[in-house]
Structure formats: structure tokens, C-alpha cells
Amino acid sequence: MAATKKAVLGPLVGAVDQGTSSTRFLVFNSKTAELLSHHQVEIKQEFPREGWVEQDPKEILQSVYECIEKTCEKLGQLNIDISNIKAIGVSNQRETTVVWDRLTGEPLYNAVAAPVSPGPSDPVAVVPSGSSVPATGASSVWLDLRTQSTVENLSKRIPGNNNFVKSKTGLPLSTYFSAVKLRWLLDNVRKVQKAVEEDRALFGTIDSWLIWSLTGGANGGVHCTDVTNASRTMLFNIHSLEWDKELCEFFEIPIKILPNVRSSSEIYGLMKAGALEGVPISGCLGDQSAALVGQMCFQDGQAKNTYGTGCFLLCNTGRKCVFSEHGLLTTVAYKLGRDKPVYYALEGSVAIAGAVIRWLRDNLGIIKTSEEIEKLAKEVGTSYGCYFVPAFSGLYAPYWEPSARGIICGLTQFTNKCHIAFAALEAVCFQTREILDAMNRDCGIPLSHLQVDGGMTNNKILMQLQADILYIPVVKPSMPETTALGAAMAAGAAEGVGVWSLKPEDLSAVTMERFEPQINAEESEIRYSTWKKAVMKSMGWVTTQSSESGDPSIFCSLPLGFFIVSSMVMLIGARYISGIP
């Protein structure tokens, strides 16, 4: 029986999926996309100071080796020959910055992290053009804010009518991206400065550090990155697909320390150690691009949404760069081969998705586990006119309104915790619709369906609500590991490997769960317009007192002063009338 299984399997492809909280290695059947085995190792995050987030690059590398070894052991137990693994792909957390010594292979500082999904307490990083990007963070990881002063100083050097950074990179100037993290390291870490002076320093995002190390490190390791990761550094021209001399001069980054930019699907080098020594590393994609590929969004206008702590939405805009007028980012989606065309995407994020469920659990205590939210919502099947706007730290795209705060409105005496739970799920769906509406306005391609992945997609009520509110079908793959699958597909399809076909007719076998709208279009629009009314109510809660007044007294607000004085008079009068001494 085991021998028969081997014969059926055919070529296999492995994928490293390196994220902020864990590393995984997964092995897929290249003919069926079936996940055969995997192993996961948790990664520590360090917080040396408030607002700083770091990770140990050596721990990350060791976790990759451990995951590969353990997965190969599991395959052996399944009687699957690991010599069938023909290629390895890499998917990684984007923007996280590493600088290391090319002679010793030692990191010169911890990796300065860029979290991958927004959290409820995160600020909005406002950039000079007046647009913003969410200062995002995973559940226990906050945006590394040490570079805020670097951004403020750099922003003064950008002419108001010529934001060449955004026009070349598709990105606003922000603490989020790699260039300002690298600038901070060059300004503040003497070991990094000295290594640059002595021509020993190499820079890279996590993919670069892993590929260099796995292909030999100090003994001939390949220093490269792919176009998707390069496009998140703020040093990469997304039109010419090269490091940009003007941008490097603006950030004062020496080009010599940057990795070579390659396509997302080609042989970069061979594994030089471990159970898979000699296997080519031939795929590389930033995590959100990998999910786009894993969802097989290869056509203009196809979009995927990853539901986690927050949501990441990417829409394939084809071979043209679409610059957003609604606060979305323009990024490289993928380039699947050296001679293949580059594809672009619009990217938007919902700040609060899974985080609102945790808030109901941890702050209000109306549920004990996150899974209970579906049960509560199912009990009532409606919010009964209750709307929940989770603007815990302001509104993000498409509003970019930092004065907003969270509200629950439309309450009646009939409202209970089940209605609030339902409203919380609706809030995730309404926010997703707002991003998709912005994408539709920017690229002019109406969305026919939305492909989804991420932990929250196990909630069937959420998925049905999403279909109802978007009024288009929501499609969920039966195999949830779309990020790792995308990296494996890129690796298996690479020239010189050729074990994974990306032809449309060969990709149709993937099974999907489909959620169709179950309400009429008019009801969907009424609910959406009421949501927008609730959003308007959430704005303007936080006001900044003018620093020029110099009067910190609460009585500088005349209506508030009258209210307090009149309240005191009424209280004294009441005590006098009642005879209380």
C-alpha cells in the first residue's frame, strides 16, 4: 500500500512560511496541491523599549532548519520519500529589516520588525502628503515606532507638489517600510556603521536573510530578494523594477548593501545543509503576494482578503500600476519568471477584524472564547438595528480620520449581547466592503467575487454576512494554507524545476466553498448606508486643544464651563431643599 502511495504522489514542493509569530515548513503534492505534512515553531518577539519590536535573525533561521527537519521526519513516518521534494519556496513577513556581516554571517543587530496585521491600540502613521497608512501590529506585536522622528525629518525634504517617493514606490513615507528602519540602524548602531564603512554589511528583508543563509551564508550564499519584497522597502522603483538611485540618495542608503532583485519564480541557489541539501530554492514572495498567488488571483480585478487580527485585501490590477485616490497602496503582486511580465496590485487593510472579537472577549467578557461569537450571532440572526464601529484608534482607509473612536449605536431595551456579537461580525464585513469599493473606484474593475482565507473564515456566519454585504459570492478554498501554497507554486513552476503548472486549466481542480448572497440588493444597500451613517457618528470624538491658548483649564470650553457651574448650583440647591447639611 505504501509503495502505491509513493507512485501516486509524484513530485513534491516544500514551502517555508516565515511570519512574525511562527515559522512553518509545508510540503505539497505539485499535481494536486494537497498538503502532505508540515511542522511549526513559535518565534519570540523582543520589546527592548516601549514601541520597539525586534526578533533574533539567528532564531528565525534555526526555526527554519528545525521545521524542515521535523517535516522530513513526519514524511518518513508516512513512508513518503523526501527525495521527491524537487524545490523549495519562501514566503515571509514583509518590511522586517535585517543587517548582517557577509564575512562572518552574524547579524549586526536584531531584526527590526514590521508586524503583519493591525491591532486595536495601534496609531495612525500620518505621512506628509496627507494620506496615511495603518500603523499595524499582530495580536501581541505593536508597530516599531522608533523611526517616527526619522520619518518626520525626511518628510520635510519632500516638496509638497512632488512626492517622488510615492510616485516611484507606490508607498507613502511611513515608519512601516524598510528604508526608514535601515536608516535608523545606520544612524544609531555603531556595529552597522562600521560594517558599512568596511564593506562587510549586507541588508535584506527576512527572505534575503534566509535565502543567503540557506544557500551557504558566508561561504557563497546568494544575496537576493524578489520584486514583491523589494517593493516594500521604499527604495525600489516599481516601474523600472530596480533599486532607485534617487531614493537611495534621499534615504542615504548605500546601494552596495542591497540584495540583487530577482523574479518571484526562478532558481536562486541550492540548499547547502540539512535533510534537503541540494534542493533548489526557486520561489520567493512576500506573504500577502503569496496568498494572492495561492488563491490563484491571476486575472485583472481578482481580489483576495485575508482575515486575521485585521484584514489584508489585495486586488490584481494586471500589468498596470494603479495609483489610489482613496488611501490604498500600490504594490508589486508577483513576477513569475525572469522573462515573465510583472503584475501589480492595490492593497488595503482593515485595522480591526479578529481584534474586535478579542475585545468582546477580553474587555467586555461577553464571550469566553473567540469561537463563541458564531454561536451568539446564530441565536439571533440579526443585529436588530445595532451597529458597531470599532474605530478604537481612529478610522483607517478609506477615511483616514484619527479623531474617530469606537461606537455601538442603534441600541434599544431589546438589544442584548447576541445582537452586539452579530453587529461585531457585520462590522468586519462592512469595513471590507469599504475597502473593496475604494478598489473598484481606483481601478474601475467591478469585483465579481471575493476569495478569502485566514483564521476567521472558519466562521460560516461571517462568510455568509460578507457575501450579503458585498452582494457578490465569497469563495473559500478547502485547503486554507494559501500563503504557503503560493510560495510552493512559484517554486515548482520555476524554469529548471517545472513540476507545477500554472496554466488555468490545470489550476481548476482546487475545491472551493462558495457563499452566495441570500438577501436582495436593496436590503444590502440599506444596511450598508446605515453603517455609513454610524461611521459618520464615530468621527470627531477626539479634539486637539490649541497649544497657542496656553490655558489648560477645562473652563476654556465655555459650554463645558456653564455645564459644570450649573450642575454645581443644582447640586447645592438640592442639598439645601432636602435639608441635608
Side-chain angles (χ1 to χ4, degrees):
M1 184 175 175
T4 305
K5 189 173 185 181
K6 281 185 187 178
V8 170
L9 285 178
L12 311 179
V13 180
V16 174
D17 182 4
Q18 207 299 301
T20 51
S21 59
S22 69
T23 298
R24 298 185 303 159
F25 185 69
L26 306 91
V27 174
F28 296 91
N29 183 328
S30 66
K31 301 305 178 189
T32 64
E34 177 191 1
L35 174 61
L36 301 175
S37 187
H38 77 283
H39 189 76
Q40 177 171 325
V41 172
E42 299 300 313
I43 298 292
K44 293 176 188 170
Q45 289 146 358
E46 299 177 22
F47 306 91
R49 296 189 195 176
E50 185 178 353
W52 290 27
V53 188
E54 297 178 359
Q55 293 179 305
D56 181 355
K58 292 175 75 174
E59 182 191 356
I60 291 173
L61 177 61
Q62 185 54 43
S63 71
V64 171
Y65 279 119
E66 182 180 344
C67 286
I68 290 173
E69 298 300 316
K70 295 290 187 184
T71 303
C72 288
E73 288 176 15
K74 291 177 182 178
L75 289 171
Q77 292 165 8
L78 295 169
N79 205 21
I80 297 172
D81 189 348
I82 63 171
S83 68
N84 283 331
I85 299 176
K86 303 302 182 186
I88 296 170
V90 175
S91 167
N92 57 287
Q93 50 171 306
R94 303 172 299 171
E95 293 98 17
T96 295
T97 299
V98 189
V99 180
W100 67 95
D101 189 317
R102 66 179 179 85
L103 301 180
T104 66
E106 290 292 311
L108 297 167
Y109 192 80
N110 273 346
V112 182
V116 294
S117 56
S121 302
D122 308 335
V124 173
V126 179
V127 294
S129 64
S131 61
S132 314
V133 294
T136 55
S139 57
S140 62
V141 182
W142 312 110
L143 176 69
D144 193 291
L145 295 175
R146 75 186 75 188
T147 56
Q148 187 60 51
S149 61
T150 305
V151 169
E152 289 167 1
N153 291 332
L154 288 167
S155 69
K156 295 170 186 173
R157 294 165 47 197
I158 297 180
N161 61 349
N162 180 24
N163 191 342
F164 63 92
V165 174
K166 188 170 184 181
S167 64
K168 290 186 174 197
T169 68
L171 310 173
L173 184 59
S174 164
T175 58
Y176 192 65
F177 305 107
S178 307
V180 290
K181 293 174 169 56
L182 179 53
R183 184 66 258 155
W184 185 91
L185 290 170
L186 290 167
D187 289 339
N188 294 279
V189 181
R190 180 57 192 150
K191 282 175 71 175
V192 173
Q193 296 165 355
K194 194 167 187 291
V196 170
E197 291 164 6
E198 296 174 0
D199 199 25
R200 292 183 288 110
L202 295 177
F203 154 81
T205 41
I206 292 295
D207 58 303
S208 297
W209 162 245
L210 291 180
I211 292 172
W212 184 83
S213 300
L214 296 172
T215 57
N219 298 311
V222 178
H223 187 214
C224 69
T225 188
D226 90 300
V227 289
T228 68
N229 282 294
S231 74
R232 310 295 290 191
T233 61
M234 256 189 333
L235 298 171
F236 184 71
N237 189 313
I238 61 174
H239 310 285
S240 65
L241 303 183
E242 298 172 326
W243 299 121
D244 190 280
K245 185 179 178 184
E246 184 183 13
L247 290 170
C248 289
E249 288 173 355
F250 175 72
F251 289 103
E252 298 179 82
I253 304 293
I255 287 185
K256 64 182 180 180
I257 72 171
L258 304 181
N260 292 320
V261 182
R262 311 275 285 271
S263 77
S264 308
S265 178
E266 61 180 273
I267 296 175
Y268 312 115
L270 307 180
M271 289 283 292
K272 288 294 167 62
L276 298 181
E277 183 177 353
V279 175
I281 300 175
S282 54
C284 180
L285 289 155
D287 51 10
Q288 299 306 320
S289 288
L292 193 73
V293 171
Q295 287 273 26
M296 298 161 208
C297 295
F298 295 129
Q299 303 300 316
D300 293 19
Q302 283 189 305
K304 70 90 193 170
N305 191 22
T306 300
Y307 296 76
T309 304
C311 292
F312 276 99
L313 294 92
L314 261 70
C315 178
N316 188 331
T317 61
R319 299 187 194 183
K320 62 178 184 289
C321 267
V322 176
F323 284 88
S324 175
E325 299 295 326
H326 304 93
L328 307 179
L329 305 181
T330 303
T331 195
V332 174
Y334 53 80
K335 186 178 189 292
L336 296 174
R338 277 181 291 189
D339 301 323
K340 298 292 174 66
V342 64
Y343 282 75
Y344 296 94
L346 279 173
E347 178 174 333
S349 57
V350 169
I352 308 296
V356 75
I357 312 305
R358 281 204 307 274
W359 184 82
L360 291 176
R361 182 192 68 194
D362 299 340
N363 293 40
L364 291 194
I366 68 172
I367 52 174
K368 288 189 174 65
T369 66
S370 297
E371 290 71 29
E372 282 182 45
I373 192 84
E374 185 172 8
K375 182 182 175 184
L376 284 182
K378 192 174 183 179
E379 282 184 30
V380 287
T382 175
S383 66
Y384 200 73
C386 172
Y387 285 80
F388 187 167
V389 183
F392 295 139
S393 56
L395 288 166
Y396 296 76
Y399 298 102
W400 303 119
E401 183 50 71
S403 73
R405 285 298 178 267
I407 64 167
I408 301 175
C409 57
L411 300 174
T412 70
Q413 284 183 307
F414 180 70
T415 306
N416 61 36
K417 65 180 182 180
C418 297
H419 299 116
I420 292 173
F422 196 95
L425 295 181
E426 279 190 317
V428 176
C429 302
F430 285 130
Q431 291 179 99
T432 297
R433 172 156 178 186
E434 289 184 317
I435 297 292
L436 289 177
D437 280 358
M439 284 184 170
N440 286 338
R441 290 194 298 270
D442 281 327
C443 62
I445 306 170
L447 203 65
S448 61
H449 66 276
L450 178 66
Q451 293 170 229
V452 300
D453 56 70
M456 288 187 79
T457 61
N458 292 325
N459 187 321
K460 291 186 181 298
I461 287 185
L462 177 70
M463 293 296 94
Q464 186 56 56
L465 277 172
Q466 190 67 86
D468 290 345
I469 288 166
L470 295 179
Y471 208 67
I472 56 174
V474 168
V475 180
K476 176 191 171 187
S478 57
M479 202 289 294
E481 305 293 350
T482 54
T483 301
L485 178 61
M489 289 166 63
E495 184 181 347
V497 178
V499 299
W500 204 308
S501 171
L502 299 184
K503 294 177 181 177
E505 60 268 23
D506 297 328
L507 299 174
S508 57
V510 178
T511 57
M512 301 279 189
E513 186 175 4
R514 191 176 178 94
F515 297 85
E516 298 282 350
Q518 292 183 353
I519 62 174
N520 61 50
E522 185 181 3
E523 183 184 346
S524 178
E525 288 304 316
I526 289 171
R527 284 162 67 174
Y528 186 44
S529 63
T530 310
W531 158 263
K532 284 181 168 291
K533 190 191 299 184
V535 169
M536 293 298 116
K537 302 282 187 188
S538 76
M539 295 183 186
W541 285 93
V542 178
T543 56
T544 304
Q545 182 179 303
S546 171
S547 59
E548 295 175 354
S549 69
D551 181 10
S553 167
I554 58 172
F555 288 97
C556 65
S557 167
L558 197 58
L560 180 61
F562 279 135
F563 172 77
I564 293 174
V565 171
S566 61
S567 297
M568 290 171 65
V569 170
M570 289 172 66
L571 179 62
I572 293 168
R575 290 170 67 91
Y576 178 78
I577 292 168
S578 63
I580 299 173

